[in-house]
Amino acid sequence: MYRACLEGMRGFLSDLDRTERTLHPSALSDFRAVLEKVDQHPNERYFILKSIVLNNLYGVDIMDEAVEICKLRLFLKLVAQLANYEQIEPLPDIDFNVRAGNALVGFSSLEAVRRAMTVTAEGQYRASSDEDRAAVARIESDARRAALAYDAFRTRQTALHGRPTATDKEELRARLGRLDGELNRYLAAEYGVSLDNAEALARWRATHCPFHWFVEFYGIMDSGGFDVVIGNPPYVEYRKVREDYRIRGFLTESCGNLYAFVMERCKEIMSRQGSISMIVPLSGHSTRRMTPLVNRFYRTFSSLHLSTFSGDANPSRMFDGVKFRLAIFVASGRSGGVFTTRYMRWYATERDNLFTGLEYTPLGAPSSHASIPKVSSAVHRNVLAKLAGHRTATPSALRRSGDRILYHGAPVNWIKAHTRQPYFHRARDGHTTSSEIKRFRVSERSRGSVHAILCSSTFFVWWLSWGDCYHLNKAQVEAFPMLRSTRLEYLSGVLEEDMTAKTRRRVYHYKTSGRVEYDEFYMKLSKHIIDDIDRELARHYGFTDEELDFVLNYDVKYRLGQRN
């Protein structure tokens, strides 16, 4: 890529030199300056990569060791470009590019500093004073001077044999240190820390590790933010770190997971037309708890490409030791629309072709649903649209009294529902009901219809498209457009008998719960009956033959355990 850019510059200059038109003396002078600088260095590739590292790459991590590993990997990449001893040049000093700090705690803008100045130690708000406004002006001026010093620090390193002095670095570090110290006091006041208690202030600083984006990267933030943001944020529940540090002012706080907060912060620090890409849990756009993240992040971009991947061993997972179901998104403020892929599953032998096989489908008009569906094709999208627009007997079918329906709360390839209690016995305490079995009540007349629908491929497609591909809960059952029919009642009974006839009694010995005996159901052996249920549902929901065929064969290779 870098070589193509250089050749492009040379081509433009060559064309410019041959033209007979009268041109401004400074035409393409920036191209000439870059090429002259490149030609001064013994290793073209080393110099280009070094310039990119210094001028274009920045990073933040709360772990000091992660920061050092990142810098080491960049250095090794640079050293690998050298062919002989004569090409050696000083490695770049990137201590101010890759920083240690808490990306979630700190001021991302000068406006955030202004707001902090109007909050008292008791959490009360007050009007800003002339002293406050003078302090903001001073902080902005000092940040600008620090940014100019940082620019000079980098520029010296891209000159031939250039190297900044230790004095240059210490002066820059001192400038940033003074700004950090002042901003930490304003931020600590927001957290209710007494500024007169030096020990409490130091303790807060050590636990929260504040990082002030608009100071550390002032030039970038002042010009509108980062053009590209990439990352793999921590998938950690907020409750697990609340004893160490607390966040403030995040609209996604109710989501309760650090990756949601990181995504929101990254939206703040990127430019309006910038791009962002991360690998995050699939649940971030597929569960009710994450509704603020969907509304405050995903749906704020004009362009969004979202792919989703299996995280368990059914049949294979993306990363060894990582059980999360994952999503990779690429979003930007530029126009483009919303596109998603199907929920990607694969056998280990298919892993190498996983990403080349991605196919994105446009979603069209945004849905009012709290999730973003995982759609594989226009036919898939039409199936979901017909289900969403169907008027049904759901309220009366799912009233909170009457007969019970039981279902397994963590489906994999099939949803297993029952009208009678499956056999289960745990020897340790005599329990006869598995904790994995969930239940709700339906009207007596709707019992068989609801049971048949839950076991159908139609419901499976709907659940997998909108859900987190792991949990099935009562709210999702109640959200589906239920119906009842005599045919479904009949097929429910046929299916229940077939399921029971094909069960196997299993006995397992667990370390924690001891001997457990239960019936295991094999829904794929009853697919011919489930297909009849889906044909009946297709008639009610108005599916075309093509849409019905899609439902009957959805992910059939993995659901039936077939290999090519």
Side-chain angles (χ1 to χ4, degrees), residues 46 131 156 178 214 216 233 242 283 407 491 535 560:
Y46 177 91
E131 184 180 352
R156 290 190 186 96
R178 287 192 295 271
F214 100 93
E216 304 294 348
R242 277 185 64 91
S283 57
Y407 63 92
L491 290 172
R535 293 186 182 97
L560 296 181

Side-chain angles (χ1 to χ4, degrees), residues 372-388:
I372 300 174
K374 298 163 282 295
V375 176
S376 60
S377 63
V379 174
H380 188 172
R381 185 181 61 219
N382 292 342
V383 167
L384 296 182
K386 287 183 177 180
L387 291 174

Side-chain angles (χ1 to χ4, degrees), residues 290-301 367-370:
M290 292 294 171
T291 300
L293 183 63
V294 172
N295 292 332
R296 302 288 185 175
F297 183 84
Y298 284 111
R299 286 184 173 150
T300 64
F301 291 100
S367 167
S368 59
H369 201 284

Side-chain angles (χ1 to χ4, degrees), residues 61 126 223 240 246 250 273 307 375 399 429 453 515 524 528-529 532:
D61 198 288
R126 61 174 177 79
S223 62
K240 294 184 178 180
R246 291 178 292 120
F250 281 79
Q273 296 297 313
S307 53
V375 176
R399 65 189 183 191
D429 50 21
I453 289 173
R515 185 180 187 275
K524 66 181 181 180
H528 60 292
I529 303 172
D532 285 341

Side-chain angles (χ1 to χ4, degrees), residues 162-320:
R163 183 193 295 272
T165 67
T167 303
D168 294 331
K169 187 170 185 178
E170 287 305 314
E171 180 184 345
L172 178 54
R173 201 185 295 277
R175 287 178 180 272
L176 294 175
R178 287 192 295 271
L179 279 166
D180 282 340
E182 183 171 4
L183 292 175
N184 285 344
R185 292 178 63 83
Y186 289 118
L187 187 60
E190 279 197 318
Y191 279 81
V193 178
S194 173
L195 302 184
D196 297 327
N197 188 332
E199 183 178 343
L201 188 60
R203 186 165 56 249
W204 171 84
R205 189 167 54 246
T207 57
H208 285 69
C209 305
F211 184 85
H212 304 294
W213 290 88
F214 100 93
V215 166
E216 304 294 348
F217 303 131
Y218 178 82
I220 295 170
M221 299 305 297
D222 186 55
S223 62
F226 290 89
D227 294 319
V228 177
V229 178
I230 60 174
N232 180 14
Y235 315 151
V236 178
E237 289 294 308
Y238 181 35
R239 57 181 169 78
K240 294 184 178 180
V241 301
R242 277 185 64 91
E243 294 299 318
D244 298 322
Y245 66 86
R246 291 178 292 120
I247 62 166
R248 289 180 60 86
F250 281 79
L251 300 173
T252 56
E253 183 172 352
S254 62
C255 295
N257 199 292
L258 297 189
Y259 76 84
F261 311 155
V262 171
M263 291 166 69
E264 181 180 345
R265 173 51 55 89
C266 288
K267 182 72 166 60
E268 293 176 358
I269 64 171
M270 63 183 289
S271 65
R272 184 170 298 179
Q273 296 297 313
S275 299
I276 180 171
S277 180
M278 289 187 175
I279 180 167
V280 294
L282 179 156
S283 57
H285 66 276
S286 304
T287 58
R288 181 172 295 182
R289 183 178 73 150
M290 292 294 171
T291 300
L293 183 63
V294 172
N295 292 332
R296 302 288 185 175
F297 183 84
Y298 284 111
R299 286 184 173 150
T300 64
F301 291 100
S302 303
S303 174
L304 173 66
H305 286 72
L306 188 60
S307 53
T308 52
F309 305 86
S310 171
D312 53 30
N314 291 290
S316 185
R317 64 171 60 105
M318 183 177 290
F319 303 113
D320 291 337

Side-chain angles (χ1 to χ4, degrees), residues 532-552:
D532 285 341
I533 293 172
D534 286 305
R535 293 186 182 97
E536 175 68 5
L537 294 177
R539 185 176 67 83
H540 281 274
Y541 295 130
F543 293 165
T544 64
D545 290 343
E546 184 181 20
E547 290 161 358
L548 172 60
D549 184 68
F550 169 81
V551 170
L552 296 180

Side-chain angles (χ1 to χ4, degrees), residues 3-28:
R3 192 176 297 278
C5 290
L6 292 180
E7 292 304 317
M9 290 183 187
R10 292 188 176 104
F12 278 119
L13 289 174
S14 178
D15 292 342
L16 186 67
D17 292 338
R18 291 196 303 269
T19 186
E20 297 180 357
R21 291 182 296 145
T22 302
L23 299 171
H24 193 278
S26 63
L28 298 183

Side-chain angles (χ1 to χ4, degrees), residues 79-145:
V79 171
Q81 312 310 313
L82 301 177
N84 53 59
Y85 179 82
E86 286 73 21
Q87 293 181 351
I88 292 178
E89 290 190 48
L91 287 169
D93 188 326
I94 54 176
D95 285 354
F96 300 103
N97 291 59
V98 186
R99 308 298 303 273
N102 191 334
L104 302 176
V105 178
F107 296 120
S108 59
S109 67
L110 196 61
E111 180 57 34
V113 180
R114 290 191 181 97
R115 290 195 300 267
M117 287 180 172
T118 61
V119 178
T120 67
E122 294 75 27
Q124 301 298 316
Y125 289 89
R126 61 174 177 79
S128 60
S129 64
D130 291 340
E131 184 180 352
D132 295 331
R133 288 187 284 273
V136 169
R138 185 185 67 255
I139 290 171
E140 183 176 22
S141 177
D142 289 347
R144 185 174 290 110
R145 289 193 183 94

